[in-house]
Amino acid sequence: MKYPILRHSKYLAMCVVLLFSAFTSADLMVVKQRFETANFKTFNGETIKKVVVGWESYGKLNVKKDNVILVTHYFSANSHAAGKYAKEDQQPGYWDALIGPGKAIDTNKFYVISVDSLANLGVNDPNVITTGPASINPDTGKAYGLDFPVVTIRDFVEVQKLVLESLGITKLHAVIGASMGSMQAIDWAAAYPDWVPRMISVIGSAQSDAWATVLLERWAIPIRLDPNWRNGDYYTHTPPTEGLIAALMFITQDALTPKAFNQIGITKAVNHQALQTGPLHSIEGTYSIVSWLRERAETRAKLSDANHLLYLIRASQLFIAGHGETLAEGLKNIKAKSLFLPSANDLLLMPYLSHDANKQLVDLGKDSQLEELLGDSGHLNGILGISQKAQQIKDFIEH
Amino acid sequence: MKYPILRHSKYLAMCVVLLFSAFTSADLMVVKQRFETANFKTFNGETIKKVVVGWESYGKLNVKKDNVILVTHYFSANSHAAGKYAKEDQQPGYWDALIGPGKAIDTNKFYVISVDSLANLGVNDPNVITTGPASINPDTGKAYGLDFPVVTIRDFVEVQKLVLESLGITKLHAVIGASMGSMQAIDWAAAYPDWVPRMISVIGSAQSDAWATVLLERWAIPIRLDPNWRNGDYYTHTPPTEGLIAALMFITQDALTPKAFNQIGITKAVNHQALQTGPLHSIEGTYSIVSWLRERAETRAKLSDANHLLYLIRASQLFIAGHGETLAEGLKNIKAKSLFLPSANDLLLMPYLSHDANKQLVDLGKDSQLEELLGDSGHLNGILGISQKAQQIKDFIEH
């Protein structure tokens, strides 16, 4: 009792620590869960006898089950949107800055859920559970390869709906997704308007136009050229790793900007170095910027599958919100209020795509708005720079 | 004498026809010429025993030999900058809108000359004369393949200088080039400042930064992945046509814009068509926009060589104006007044590259200016849309 202030300050310090830890990602621990369904009918009319996917959730589902925010993931991601599997994980989920207790998507209020896509790119990542061309075909006991049905963004939506329904959920509070996740988000709003009162499209698109279709095709080309690809039938052979690495290099560059690349710090050395060593003297000589990109791709390739990449490309190429004959038809059904957050310097899904979608919704009399993300990271501003719109996202979700 | 007006109008009509024909490309006939030199020393210190290149000229060299405008060509072009080889040619040279009698680069005043690059992409085009990896190595009697020395933009400049000197020319009136031609133009100004009083860089760059280096590398990757490439040793085997076609598809997209692609008219059919036929039902299914791009690439591949493409990529990657340790060093030497004409929506050599070069020259106290090309064609605004700056080019050259 001699040092009440000190004693108080000790308590205060403890409270601060507790409070702080409640707000750090280290505290949001998550476990990958597993969902299984039989005889899944795909959008193109085929059947997948057994579908297994992983999913994650953050926060608690309330009694009314009306506090659900669905997060739909981007092309090379999975359902690990936030939190950590173990304290020692180097990185939390990709949108940990956005999702968590007290954050913009507040897990003290909302039950946030995300589901691994079909044909998920990271099929060889132990934290991914997916069904795709690398899965065993129950009819043959061998990997499907290209016998796996072509799947669409709509199929990803349908799998998510089955997961939600298995939890007794019949309506979302909101859906939010980045990039390929934005395709799922707007398709949700078009396909199941009564489920979706709020839709947020980050670095997104309402359909794949001719430009995007070809840009995506370019990721497929190196895989098809790799002699180890063997028309997708490589699961008992050497896989097409060189083609996969090339595709992942392309994806990384497409998602960034010249400024981001030129900040890596080896720009000025490019030509200088070339004069001293390889590139000037041999066509086989390599630039350090190319090596840097390749090393990142090599690491990612170890967890990825080439056929899965081809299936995600096709799902993205086939995308049109509502999956009907025209985009107008899909957008017409939307009841959600919409928020588009394109990145101003996005070179992959350029901002005109979001501006077009927003304008069409406004022209249809829908409640839709758009704000641009800034930063040097191009497409990746939607992941790395999402905090700049945390308040707008919070306001949009909570009102 | 009864119908003097009619008779006059007949004469007038004849004059108009004559006058008109004097201004049409059909009238500017051109013959590809041949230049040969022995023991050419490359920038990297190697020797090419025999160099043969084609060249073209338009207009007449005056007695003082001081009316020479050098046109340096872009990556997939050759010295056919203007005119036709035969009346029945479907297309004139690529800058025919700019070069000819009475045009912005007026062949009634100037002697305009252009030279096929070393390792020219169109080596299998009967109108191209070049020396590169597809040429016969005099030491072995076989095609060089990757034994051909790595060549640089500076080497292209040196070959051009030898051609000019063979004609008794010791100074240019101006040098102008688009894209890879812009690299040669500014390198001319940096390497031989006393030769170059005027330099025009169209859709250009003063050096290849990290971004451009990787973008160029992406064109090389499909060729290297094609098993028929065989490390460049394919001249007695099946050539790597699939890799070459892929590279040419990439180049075409990089040189255009979403708006250009989406105007091709098959955009809206992309997904609709997909529902009926291939892409939705088979990973092997193809989109019409992809087929359109591929068909163009197939046609171009017939005249092109995969190794030549790799050598042009490397020359472009190695580029730094002045070919010294730093860009500042190269720009410091320039005596030319400079005009930069980047394309505002260029996705290949983005306008920041020209803005940076122009700013550096202005900061060094040089006479330099910049105007942006507009239009839907991105990089290709520098070729297809060059007429919009015809007056500025004329004024720049004639003053």
Side-chain angles (χ1 to χ4, degrees):
Chain A
M1 299 296 282
K2 253 183 144 180
Y3 303 104
I5 292 166
L6 182 62
R7 279 184 57 205
H8 275 115
S9 64
K10 269 186 184 170
Y11 280 104
L12 191 66
M14 267 180 67
C15 288
V16 167
V17 167
L18 283 169
L19 200 67
F20 182 74
S21 68
F23 282 84
T24 59
S25 57
D27 237 30
L28 184 68
M29 301 309 294
V30 63
V31 177
K32 183 77 71 171
Q33 306 197 63
R34 187 178 184 279
F35 172 81
E36 183 171 337
T37 188
N39 297 319
F40 178 80
K41 297 275 180 196
T42 58
F43 179 72
N44 69 2
E46 299 200 49
T47 300
I48 306 171
K49 284 195 176 167
K50 178 180 158 186
V51 162
V52 190
V53 291
W55 60 281
E56 297 188 10
S57 65
Y58 325 97
K60 284 190 182 157
L61 186 59
N62 64 14
V63 177
K64 286 185 169 175
K65 300 188 176 183
D66 66 356
N67 68 331
V68 182
I69 296 181
L70 175 67
V71 177
T72 46
H73 70 73
Y74 58 95
F75 195 95
S76 54
N78 60 67
S79 62
H80 194 39
K84 291 186 172 187
Y85 300 122
K87 292 265 181 202
E88 56 272 24
D89 286 359
Q90 287 199 328
Q91 294 289 335
Y94 65 88
W95 261 353
D96 194 79
L98 199 63
I99 302 163
K103 295 183 184 176
I105 300 180
D106 189 349
T107 52
N108 291 328
K109 298 176 185 168
F110 296 105
Y111 178 67
V112 181
I113 183 166
S114 189
V115 181
D116 292 343
S117 71
L118 293 169
N120 192 281
L121 183 59
V123 60
N124 299 318
D125 180 337
N127 289 313
V128 169
I129 305 171
T130 187
T131 305
S135 303
I136 298 301
N137 180 348
D139 288 342
T140 64
K142 295 176 183 170
Y144 280 100
L146 300 199
D147 289 338
F148 194 75
V150 170
V151 287
T152 63
I153 296 297
R154 173 60 57 84
D155 292 309
F156 302 172
V157 166
E158 297 295 351
V159 170
Q160 289 153 6
K161 188 160 169 278
L162 291 173
V163 174
L164 294 167
E165 287 170 343
S166 76
L167 299 167
I169 295 162
T170 57
K171 192 177 195 300
L172 298 171
H173 180 82
V175 59
I176 177 170
S179 194
M180 191 184 77
S182 81
M183 299 178 185
Q184 297 160 64
I186 195 168
D187 195 50
W188 255 105
Y192 298 106
D194 292 329
W195 275 69
V196 186
R198 295 169 196 83
M199 188 285 294
I200 305 179
S201 161
V202 181
I203 49 172
S205 168
Q207 69 174 334
S208 291
D209 60 7
W211 181 262
T213 299
V214 174
L215 209 63
L216 288 159
E217 189 72 23
R218 290 171 67 161
W219 300 351
I221 284 174
I223 290 172
R224 294 174 181 279
L225 277 168
D226 188 326
N228 289 326
W229 180 57
R230 300 164 43 99
N231 290 311
D233 180 21
Y234 55 79
Y235 293 102
T236 56
H237 298 79
T238 307
T241 306
E242 282 301 312
L244 178 58
I245 289 169
L248 294 170
M249 288 171 73
F250 292 3
I251 291 172
T252 301
Q253 183 172 37
D254 286 339
L256 285 168
T257 62
K259 201 162 182 182
F261 261 56
N262 293 338
Q263 279 167 354
I264 291 165
I266 51 176
T267 317
K268 288 291 168 199
V270 165
N271 290 288
H272 174 74
Q273 191 192 35
L275 299 183
Q276 316 300 325
T277 56
L280 181 61
H281 295 282
S282 166
I283 287 293
E284 302 287 29
T286 302
Y287 283 96
S288 54
I289 181 70
V290 174
S291 304
W292 173 86
L293 193 65
R294 188 184 160 88
E295 281 158 23
R296 288 170 64 99
E298 280 172 348
T299 303
R300 293 173 72 192
K302 288 184 182 125
L303 302 179
S304 306
D305 177 80
N307 281 339
H308 280 229
L309 183 47
L310 296 183
Y311 275 74
L312 290 181
I313 288 168
R314 179 53 51 85
S316 302
Q317 286 176 323
L318 286 164
F319 172 61
I320 179 167
H323 280 71
E325 295 290 310
T326 67
L327 179 59
E329 202 179 294
L331 298 182
K332 192 184 68 207
N333 296 330
I334 291 176
K335 293 182 178 174
K337 68 168 182 172
S338 302
L339 172 62
F340 291 89
L341 299 173
S343 163
N345 58 1
D346 194 332
L347 293 168
L348 179 49
L349 295 179
M350 295 189 195
Y352 75 86
L353 294 162
S354 290
H355 282 275
D356 286 356
N358 179 56
K359 185 181 182 307
Q360 288 196 51
L361 286 173
V362 169
D363 289 350
L364 286 164
K366 316 280 182 186
D367 180 351
S368 185
Q369 55 185 297
L370 182 149
E371 293 193 33
E372 287 196 348
L373 291 154
L374 303 177
D376 293 339
S377 301
H379 193 60
L380 285 186
N381 285 330
I383 309 301
L384 307 176
I386 194 64
S387 296
Q388 66 188 283
K389 295 293 177 194
Q391 192 59 49
Q392 286 88 337
I393 291 169
K394 186 179 175 65
D395 292 347
F396 182 87
I397 287 171
E398 299 194 356
H399 292 98
Chain B
M1 298 298 284
K2 254 183 148 181
Y3 304 102
I5 292 165
L6 182 63
R7 279 183 59 205
H8 273 115
S9 64
K10 268 186 185 168
Y11 278 106
L12 191 66
M14 268 180 67
C15 288
V16 167
V17 167
L18 283 169
L19 199 67
F20 183 74
S21 68
F23 281 83
T24 61
S25 58
D27 235 28
L28 185 67
M29 301 308 295
V30 62
V31 176
K32 183 77 73 170
Q33 306 198 62
R34 186 177 186 279
F35 171 82
E36 183 172 336
T37 187
N39 296 317
F40 178 79
K41 296 277 180 194
T42 58
F43 181 72
N44 70 1
E46 298 198 50
T47 300
I48 307 171
K49 284 197 176 167
K50 180 180 157 186
V51 163
V52 190
V53 291
W55 61 281
E56 297 187 10
S57 65
Y58 325 97
K60 285 192 181 155
L61 186 59
N62 65 12
V63 177
K64 284 183 168 177
K65 300 187 175 183
D66 66 357
N67 69 331
V68 181
I69 296 181
L70 176 67
V71 177
T72 46
H73 71 73
Y74 60 95
F75 194 94
S76 53
N78 60 67
S79 61
H80 194 41
K84 290 186 170 185
Y85 300 122
K87 292 265 179 200
E88 57 272 22
D89 286 359
Q90 288 199 327
Q91 294 288 337
Y94 64 88
W95 261 353
D96 193 79
L98 200 62
I99 302 164
K103 294 182 184 175
I105 300 180
D106 190 349
T107 51
N108 293 329
K109 297 176 185 168
F110 296 106
Y111 178 70
V112 182
I113 182 167
S114 189
V115 181
D116 292 344
S117 72
L118 293 168
N120 191 281
L121 183 59
V123 60
N124 298 319
D125 179 338
N127 289 313
V128 169
I129 305 171
T130 187
T131 304
S135 304
I136 298 301
N137 180 348
D139 288 342
T140 65
K142 296 175 182 169
Y144 280 101
L146 299 198
D147 289 338
F148 193 76
V150 170
V151 287
T152 62
I153 295 297
R154 173 60 57 84
D155 292 309
F156 301 172
V157 166
E158 297 295 351
V159 170
Q160 289 153 5
K161 189 158 168 278
L162 290 173
V163 174
L164 294 166
E165 287 171 342
S166 76
L167 299 168
I169 295 162
T170 57
K171 192 175 194 296
L172 298 171
H173 181 83
V175 59
I176 177 170
S179 195
M180 191 183 79
S182 82
M183 299 178 185
Q184 296 161 62
I186 195 169
D187 196 50
W188 256 105
Y192 297 107
D194 292 329
W195 274 69
V196 185
R198 294 169 197 83
M199 188 284 296
I200 305 179
S201 161
V202 181
I203 51 171
S205 167
Q207 68 175 332
S208 290
D209 60 7
W211 181 261
T213 299
V214 175
L215 210 62
L216 287 159
E217 190 73 22
R218 289 170 68 160
W219 301 350
I221 284 173
I223 290 172
R224 294 173 181 279
L225 277 168
D226 188 327
N228 289 326
W229 179 58
R230 301 163 45 98
N231 290 310
D233 180 20
Y234 56 78
Y235 293 102
T236 55
H237 298 78
T238 306
T241 306
E242 282 300 313
L244 178 57
I245 288 170
L248 294 171
M249 289 171 73
F250 292 4
I251 292 172
T252 301
Q253 183 172 38
D254 286 339
L256 285 166
T257 61
K259 201 163 183 182
F261 261 56
N262 293 338
Q263 280 168 353
I264 291 166
I266 50 177
T267 317
K268 288 293 167 198
V270 165
N271 291 288
H272 173 74
Q273 191 192 36
L275 298 183
Q276 317 301 328
T277 57
L280 181 61
H281 294 282
S282 167
I283 287 294
E284 302 288 28
T286 301
Y287 282 96
S288 55
I289 181 67
V290 174
S291 304
W292 173 85
L293 193 64
R294 188 184 160 88
E295 282 158 22
R296 288 171 62 98
E298 280 172 349
T299 302
R300 292 173 71 191
K302 288 182 184 129
L303 302 179
S304 305
D305 178 81
N307 281 339
H308 279 230
L309 182 46
L310 297 183
Y311 275 74
L312 290 182
I313 288 168
R314 180 52 51 84
S316 301
Q317 287 176 322
L318 286 164
F319 172 61
I320 179 168
H323 280 72
E325 294 290 310
T326 67
L327 179 59
E329 202 179 294
L331 298 182
K332 193 185 67 207
N333 295 332
I334 290 176
K335 293 183 178 174
K337 68 169 182 170
S338 301
L339 172 61
F340 291 89
L341 299 173
S343 162
N345 58 0
D346 194 333
L347 292 168
L348 178 51
L349 295 179
M350 296 188 195
Y352 75 84
L353 294 162
S354 289
H355 282 276
D356 286 356
N358 179 56
K359 184 179 183 307
Q360 288 197 50
L361 286 173
V362 169
D363 289 350
L364 286 165
K366 315 280 184 185
D367 181 352
S368 185
Q369 54 185 299
L370 181 149
E371 293 192 32
E372 287 196 348
L373 291 154
L374 303 177
D376 292 340
S377 301
H379 194 60
L380 285 186
N381 285 330
I383 309 300
L384 307 176
I386 194 64
S387 295
Q388 67 187 282
K389 295 294 178 193
Q391 191 60 49
Q392 286 89 338
I393 291 170
K394 186 178 174 66
D395 291 347
F396 183 85
I397 287 172
E398 299 194 356
H399 293 101

